[in-house]
Amino acid sequence: MSPTSVSARAPRAPKPLYRQFGAQVLVAMVIGLALGYVARQMGPDAAGNANWLVQTLATIGSTFVSLLRALVPVLVFTAIVASIANLRELNNAAKLVWQTLLWFAITALIAVFIGIALGLIIQPGLNTAVAAEAAKAPASSGSWLDFLKGLIPSNILGLQASTRVSDSGATTSLNFNVLQILVVSIVVGIAALKVGAAADPFLAFNRSFLKIVHKILWWVIRLTPIGTIGLLGNAVAVYGWDALAQLGWYSAAIYTGLALVLLVVYPVLLQAHGLNPLRFFQSAWPAIQLAFVSRSSIGTLPVTERITEQNLGVPREYAAFAVPLGATTKMDGCAAIYPAISAIFVAQFFGIQLGIQEYLLIVFVSVIGSAATAGLTGATVMLTLTLSTLGLPLEGVGLLLAVDPILDMGRTAVNVAGQALVPTIVAKRQGILDEATYARGESIEALDVADAVPAQ
């Protein structure tokens, strides 16, 4: 084992509290809540526009998110290509791939059944104070046709242009379709394996480029406390607590479902495989915490991959495949709990009775269609995909948008926990998990993981 490996790493002296990343984020959350409350109390300016504090918080938050999104295309491409290339170092690669996809589906299936049960028990659509006038169709929606068309790359970059015409003129914006980038990456990675030795220079360049992208992303991650102040403060200033109070039962149902998956289902699965759940959460905490505040599975990808390898004991060759794939397609929070409860909420709110067929469709969409979360516009479009499949009014999405940022934090944390859990379980089942590393239950600060990256 190399000198830079986990087992040979010298114990780290604990950092002072003010330098610990987790403590910085918690302080930032408190500051964000306080500034958001102050900004909301200030009210609009003399011209009726958002006051300077709201604008400042919004700018800080949107800038942080933009920095994360700017790295998504190149990060997805290089990570997926590298992960597929790493499969050639594994003797049982085909079985690992199959087992990974199977456990993605199993955990999603359990999560969606929990969501359906909570929707029927809590009945959030009947216990809400939100007015029917708040219902409005979303600006964008998803359908199975969109999903299938989105699988076919229109260009090698997965680049899409959209033009919006208004009274002031036409504006064109460029967006990357992550699902198309995923497809291109998989094809390029498989082709590189088939080419053989001739592709070695390309794969070496890709690994080097991935390291550069990781380093840049670490610089962005260091801004997380500042970004947290802007994101949380703006959410409080714009939405306040009124919307959360009106949708209290709905929000409680979502977070109850997320808590059951994270704190009951995952520990049971770990225990069933002879793994200590406390050790898992101790090791995975840096990734879960970062996911909660950043609301980005892909932005958290380097941390998730490193803690899976170095804290949980999953072999690098396998973790480098399973974690990037999970970051784009494995979403128990956004694609299982959330659409199940939300669809039932919308049906109850509009007085529409759902039968066995509709509940089976919810299960199908959640387990099979979760990749649409990566290819389209996150959990909101995943919800419109579910509603359109069930024939429910898309106007129901407008009822839920007010609390979406608050819910998205919990959803993303559960997503990332699942993205670390599945490789750990599969590695254990296949007998390739380093159980000594897992048993140590190390907890490396999110920013310290960058310093512990082994040579590849």
Side-chain angles (χ1 to χ4, degrees):
M1 189 169 288
S2 66
T4 53
S5 63
V6 174
S7 59
R9 186 174 59 242
R12 294 169 179 264
K15 286 184 177 182
L17 185 61
Y18 71 91
R19 290 191 61 195
Q20 293 181 12
F21 183 74
Q24 293 173 6
V25 171
L26 291 176
V27 171
M29 293 176 69
V30 174
I31 295 174
L33 289 171
L35 290 179
Y37 176 79
V38 171
R40 187 167 181 84
Q41 296 303 309
M42 289 171 60
D45 60 17
N49 300 318
N51 61 62
W52 67 269
L53 184 53
V54 174
Q55 294 182 27
T56 301
L57 292 171
T59 301
I60 293 173
S62 62
T63 301
F64 176 69
V65 172
S66 295
L67 289 173
L68 285 176
R69 286 179 175 171
L71 294 169
V72 165
V74 65
L75 178 61
V76 170
F77 179 84
T78 54
I80 294 296
V81 171
S83 68
I84 293 176
N86 284 331
L87 287 178
R88 65 182 176 180
E89 301 178 30
L90 297 171
N91 296 326
N92 55 344
K95 191 171 184 180
L96 286 171
V97 172
W98 179 82
Q99 285 278 313
T100 302
L101 296 176
L102 175 65
W103 279 96
F104 279 1
I106 289 174
T107 51
L109 189 65
I110 296 172
V112 72
F113 276 122
I114 290 175
I116 291 174
L118 288 173
L120 295 176
I121 294 172
I122 297 178
Q123 297 187 323
L126 302 179
N127 299 297
T128 178
V130 67
E133 292 76 16
K136 59 181 180 180
S140 60
S141 61
S143 68
W144 286 106
L145 181 60
D146 293 330
F147 173 62
L148 294 175
K149 287 165 59 179
L151 288 171
I152 309 300
S154 55
N155 55 75
I156 193 67
L157 299 176
L159 190 63
Q160 295 180 329
S162 58
T163 302
R164 179 174 299 178
V165 180
S166 62
D167 295 338
S168 57
T171 56
T172 300
S173 59
L174 298 176
N175 296 290
F176 288 95
N177 187 311
V178 177
L179 187 57
Q180 291 185 5
I181 296 174
L182 179 65
V183 171
V184 170
S185 306
I186 292 174
V187 172
V188 171
I190 294 174
L193 291 183
K194 295 294 184 181
V195 168
D200 288 346
F202 166 74
L203 293 176
F205 169 78
N206 184 78
R207 285 194 297 270
S208 298
F209 196 16
L210 178 58
K211 282 185 171 295
I212 294 172
V213 174
H214 276 185
K215 177 57 69 175
I216 297 173
L217 186 57
W218 288 118
W219 294 341
V220 176
I221 289 174
R222 289 179 182 275
L223 301 175
T224 298
I226 298 174
T228 299
I229 293 174
L231 291 170
L232 202 55
N234 183 63
V236 172
V238 173
Y239 301 111
W241 303 112
D242 298 337
L244 187 61
Q246 292 175 339
L247 292 166
W249 285 106
Y250 167 75
S251 302
I254 294 289
Y255 265 98
T256 300
L258 295 174
L260 287 174
V261 171
L262 183 65
L263 303 178
V264 178
V265 174
Y266 289 173
V268 167
L269 291 176
L270 289 165
Q271 196 71 54
H273 288 87
L275 298 172
N276 188 327
L278 292 179
R279 292 286 184 264
F280 172 82
F281 286 108
Q282 183 180 358
S283 298
W285 176 246
I288 295 172
Q289 179 194 49
L290 182 60
F292 183 82
V293 296
S294 69
R295 295 167 50 196
S296 173
S297 293
I298 295 178
T300 312
L301 170 58
V303 179
T304 311
E305 187 174 335
R306 294 310 172 195
I307 63 100
T308 303
E309 297 171 16
Q310 299 175 23
N311 293 8
L312 296 174
V314 178
R316 178 184 61 82
E317 295 80 7
Y318 171 53
F321 162 77
V323 176
L325 181 65
T328 52
T329 60
K330 170 63 181 164
M331 308 206 178
D332 290 339
C334 291
I337 290 289
Y338 173 71
I341 295 178
S342 300
I344 294 174
F345 172 93
V346 172
Q348 292 172 347
F349 185 86
F350 287 100
I352 300 173
Q353 194 71 26
L354 298 180
I356 296 297
Q357 179 180 349
E358 285 73 25
Y359 292 121
L360 291 177
L361 282 174
I362 293 176
V363 174
F364 174 80
V365 174
S366 299
V367 175
I368 304 299
S370 61
T373 308
L376 299 171
T377 319
T380 299
V381 176
M382 180 63 192
L383 175 57
T384 63
L385 177 64
T386 307
L387 296 182
S388 61
T389 302
L390 296 173
L392 296 174
L394 294 180
E395 287 76 11
V397 177
L399 300 169
L400 310 177
L401 290 179
V403 293
D404 191 70
I406 298 171
L407 303 180
D408 196 31
M409 294 187 292
R411 292 192 309 241
T412 309
V414 172
N415 292 344
V416 167
Q419 292 156 17
L421 174 92
V422 169
T424 304
I425 289 178
V426 173
K428 169 67 174 178
R429 293 175 64 87
Q430 296 302 309
I432 59 175
L433 184 71
D434 185 345
E435 297 191 44
T437 296
Y438 184 96
R440 277 197 297 269
E442 293 192 67
S443 180
I444 303 176
E445 279 277 307
L447 294 181
D448 288 341
V449 180
D451 301 327
V453 175
Q456 296 188 24

